[in-house]
């Protein structure tokens, strides 16, 4: 019986390893796609859909879904996140030290939910009186606990297994996702540079994982750096790490670098200008794989740190369109330029006219549909200068059912 059990465990172990590797790949891609959720990303991710592999449901339950935090969001905020920080830190430490399978990852994900609440609390405070003052926390104590928690998570990322690394990245990607659509340079949340005193130590731990880890560890490190862009964007070593990874021969690393570059470009003007030239060059090279080109296209709407950068990125994209031969890349760039133009109404008007003229040329039905969806997107945002009747008449010419109202 004992021998039989051991043999079964060996077989199951091999199968489990393969499934975990496959699912880890799925989780990394999911984290990037969820955090980059946008009009352009929806288009582009549709081109990246791959059939086939079944997911491991148990792993999905442990990693993809965050546990519910005890109590309601309202009660957590009412009690002040700062006042709860010590308890959260203790619970995290207990979870990380637990020998129960999956417990460390669950503790990290639960803390991630708390960090998201804490950031919301800090960003929504309009009173000028810090919540920790209201709840009786000693001045400076909340920041001390916050930095200790961040450092503990960075340590877990550096020394933990892949499940723990994914959990740390997912916790911070969720914190970042709740800020999507905000002006990131105005971030006043938990990860703003003014609040993270030990940011160099945090960055060094992640850089260590990148330099010494395998491909998946490098991907996760890059995604985490992207989530930390608020306090990492002006670090020279980290900037070089991301930019050099854009041209990595490993397509998975290059895609993760695109994610990080997009996060940095939302904040840093000079980084956005460098990235602008690099992503258009990546999309023009025949040696770059399609998934990497599509990931590069998703960076374009993130080149929005200033109106000047938006205009430069838009002009470069329009010039680039004439040289695109791959239909997947063409659709991706059209959708990305449309989303970018929606950030500045004068450019949006130019984009509407450009899309209509582009539509009138001889194109495939797929490209036509993409153009019409771009027009619909701008119309629904109130950025289209033409009446609904005119746009509807255009769609009828191409036998597509789109509603402009």
């Amino acid at each position: 019986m004992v021998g039989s059990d051991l043999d079964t465990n060996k077989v199951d172990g091999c199968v489990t390893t393969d499934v975990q590797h496959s699912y880890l790949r799925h989780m990394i891609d999911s984290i990037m796609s969820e955090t980059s959720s946008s009009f352009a990303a929806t288009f582009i991710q549709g081109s990246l859909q791959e059939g086939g592999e079944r997911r491991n449901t148990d792993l999905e339950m442990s990693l993809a879904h965050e546990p519910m935090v005890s109590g309601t969001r309202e009660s957590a905020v009412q009690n002040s996140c700062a006042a709860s920080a010590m308890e959260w830190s203790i619970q995290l430490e207990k979870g990380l030290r637990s020998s129960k399978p999956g417990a460390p990852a669950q503790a990290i994900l639960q803390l991630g939910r708390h960090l998201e609440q804490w950031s919301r609390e800090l960003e929504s405070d309009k009173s000028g009186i810090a919540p920790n003052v209201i709840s009786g926390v000693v001045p400076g104590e909340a920041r001390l606990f916050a930095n200790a928690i961040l450092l503990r998570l960075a340590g877990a990322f550096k020394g933990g297994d892949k499940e723990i690394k994914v959990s740390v990245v997912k916790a911070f990607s969720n914190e970042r996702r709740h800020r999507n659509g905000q002006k990131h340079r105005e971030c006043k949340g938990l990860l703003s540079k003014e609040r993270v005193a030990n940011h160099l130590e945090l960055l060094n731990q992640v850089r260590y994982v990148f330099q010494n880890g395998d491909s998946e560890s490098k991907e996760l490190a890059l995604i985490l750096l992207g989530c930390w862009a608020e306090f990492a964007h002006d670090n020279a070593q980290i900037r070089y790490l991301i930019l050099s990874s854009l041209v990595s021969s490993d397509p998975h690393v290059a895609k993760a670098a695109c994610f990080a570059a997009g996060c940095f470009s939302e904040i840093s003007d000079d980084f956005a200008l460098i990235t602008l030239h690099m992503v258009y060059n990546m999309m023009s090279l025949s040696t770059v794989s399609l998934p990497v080109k599509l990931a590069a296209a998703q960076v374009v709407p993130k080149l929005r740190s200033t109106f000047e950068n938006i205009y430069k990125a838009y002009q470069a994209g329009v010039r680039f369109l004439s040289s695109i031969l791959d239909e997947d890349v063409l659709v991706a760039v059209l959708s990305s330029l449309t989303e970018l133009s929606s950030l500045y109404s004068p450019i949006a008007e130019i984009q509407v006219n450009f899309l209509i003229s582009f539509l009138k040329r001889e194109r495939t039905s797929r490209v036509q549909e993409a153009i019409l969806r771009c027009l619909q997107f701008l119309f629904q945002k109130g950025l289209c200068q033409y009446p609904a009747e005119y746009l509807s008449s255009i769609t009828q010419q191409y036998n597509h059912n789109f509603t402009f109202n």
Side-chain angles (χ1 to χ4, degrees):
M1 287 295 293
V2 174
S4 177
D5 289 340
L6 288 174
D7 291 341
T8 301
N9 288 336
K10 287 181 180 179
V11 174
D12 289 345
C14 294
V15 174
T16 301
T17 300
D18 291 341
V19 172
Q20 286 179 334
H21 180 77
S22 173
Y23 190 72
L24 180 60
R25 168 64 46 219
H26 163 75
M27 282 303 303
I28 292 173
D29 290 340
S30 294
I31 289 171
M32 286 192 289
S33 64
E34 289 170 4
T35 312
S36 304
S37 179
S38 65
F39 170 73
T42 301
F43 254 103
I44 296 167
Q45 287 158 18
S47 299
L48 286 170
Q49 292 295 327
E50 294 179 356
E53 297 178 347
R54 291 186 174 274
R55 303 176 184 176
N56 182 300
T57 305
D58 293 333
L59 280 174
E60 183 166 349
M61 290 301 293
S62 67
L63 288 176
H65 301 290
E66 299 174 55
M68 292 301 294
V69 182
S70 58
T72 63
R73 177 181 295 268
E74 289 75 13
S75 64
V77 174
Q78 183 179 2
N79 294 332
S80 171
C81 294
S84 304
M86 179 185 290
E87 179 185 350
W88 294 346
S89 181
I90 293 172
Q91 292 302 317
L92 172 64
E93 193 62 36
K94 286 182 178 178
L96 291 175
R97 291 176 180 272
S98 174
S99 58
K100 181 181 177 181
Q106 292 294 331
I108 293 168
L109 291 174
Q110 180 162 320
L111 181 66
R113 181 71 173 272
H114 290 314
L115 294 181
E116 180 183 339
Q117 292 175 354
W118 201 347
S119 271
R120 288 180 186 274
E121 181 182 278
L122 291 169
E123 291 170 355
S124 63
D125 177 44
K126 306 297 183 183
S127 65
I129 304 175
N132 56 295
V133 175
I134 297 174
S135 55
V137 178
V138 176
E141 186 178 88
R143 186 167 299 190
L144 183 64
F145 277 119
N147 279 273
I149 288 172
L150 295 178
L151 192 58
R152 187 66 181 95
L153 288 173
F157 181 80
K158 178 183 177 181
D161 59 19
K162 291 292 176 59
E163 184 183 22
I164 289 179
K165 283 181 169 60
V166 169
S167 299
V168 171
V169 172
K170 188 166 179 61
F172 283 106
S173 70
N174 286 342
E175 191 281 334
R176 176 180 173 79
R177 187 171 56 183
H178 96 265
R179 289 183 276 110
N180 276 349
Q182 299 179 13
K183 293 183 178 179
H184 287 277
R185 63 171 64 236
E186 298 176 3
C187 170
K188 301 297 181 184
L190 195 65
L191 295 180
S192 60
K193 190 171 183 179
E194 63 185 31
R195 295 185 183 276
V196 183
N198 52 355
H199 61 274
L200 290 177
E201 190 170 357
L202 295 173
L203 295 175
N204 285 336
Q205 298 217 41
V206 177
R207 192 158 61 92
Y208 176 89
V209 172
F210 180 89
Q211 293 174 336
N212 296 279
D214 58 12
S215 175
E216 291 162 345
S217 295
K218 292 180 188 297
E219 288 178 77
L220 290 167
L222 286 165
I223 298 170
L224 185 54
L225 291 172
C227 294
W228 287 355
E230 275 75 17
F231 65 82
H233 67 88
D234 59 355
N235 183 286
Q237 291 179 319
I238 299 302
R239 287 160 68 106
Y240 176 78
L241 185 153
I242 292 172
L243 292 172
S244 60
S245 297
L246 286 173
V247 294
S248 171
S249 59
D250 184 331
H252 299 300
V253 171
K255 285 172 58 181
C258 286
F259 171 85
C263 297
F264 275 49
S265 295
E266 290 180 312
I267 301 171
S268 173
D269 299 346
D270 61 329
F271 190 92
L273 289 176
I274 297 171
T275 303
L276 185 161
H277 297 293
M278 290 192 70
V279 294
Y280 282 125
N281 185 57
M282 289 166 65
M283 288 187 283
S284 68
L285 296 175
S286 59
T287 53
V288 176
S289 67
L290 177 60
V292 174
K293 289 182 178 181
L294 298 183
Q298 289 190 65
V299 179
V300 173
K302 303 294 184 70
L303 304 172
R304 58 188 185 191
S305 57
T306 65
F307 289 126
E308 182 181 4
N309 279 356
I310 292 174
Y311 189 63
K312 287 181 178 179
Y314 178 78
Q315 284 187 314
V318 171
R319 290 194 299 268
F320 177 63
L321 279 171
S322 61
S323 64
I324 299 177
L325 300 177
D326 190 299
E327 190 173 90
D328 290 312
V329 178
L330 177 62
V331 169
V333 174
L334 281 171
S335 60
S336 291
L337 288 177
T338 298
E339 183 175 341
L340 182 69
S341 72
S342 71
L343 302 172
Y344 191 30
S345 55
I347 300 180
E349 292 182 7
I350 296 172
Q351 177 69 354
V352 169
N353 288 323
F354 175 77
L355 288 171
I356 291 174
S357 66
F358 206 70
L359 180 65
K360 292 178 180 179
R361 305 173 195 174
E362 185 176 351
R363 298 287 173 183
T364 66
S365 60
R366 183 186 174 205
V367 175
Q368 291 171 357
E369 181 177 355
I371 293 172
L372 291 172
R373 288 191 181 279
C374 289
L375 287 169
Q376 185 185 49
F377 170 77
L378 293 172
F379 181 85
Q380 291 175 344
K381 292 182 73 70
L383 295 170
C384 182
Q385 62 269 38
Y386 296 107
E389 294 78 12
Y390 175 73
L391 295 175
S392 296
S393 67
I394 293 178
T395 65
Q396 292 173 5
Q397 296 178 35
Y398 299 97
N399 297 318
H400 291 288
N401 295 320
F402 284 86
T403 302
F404 294 93
N405 53 34

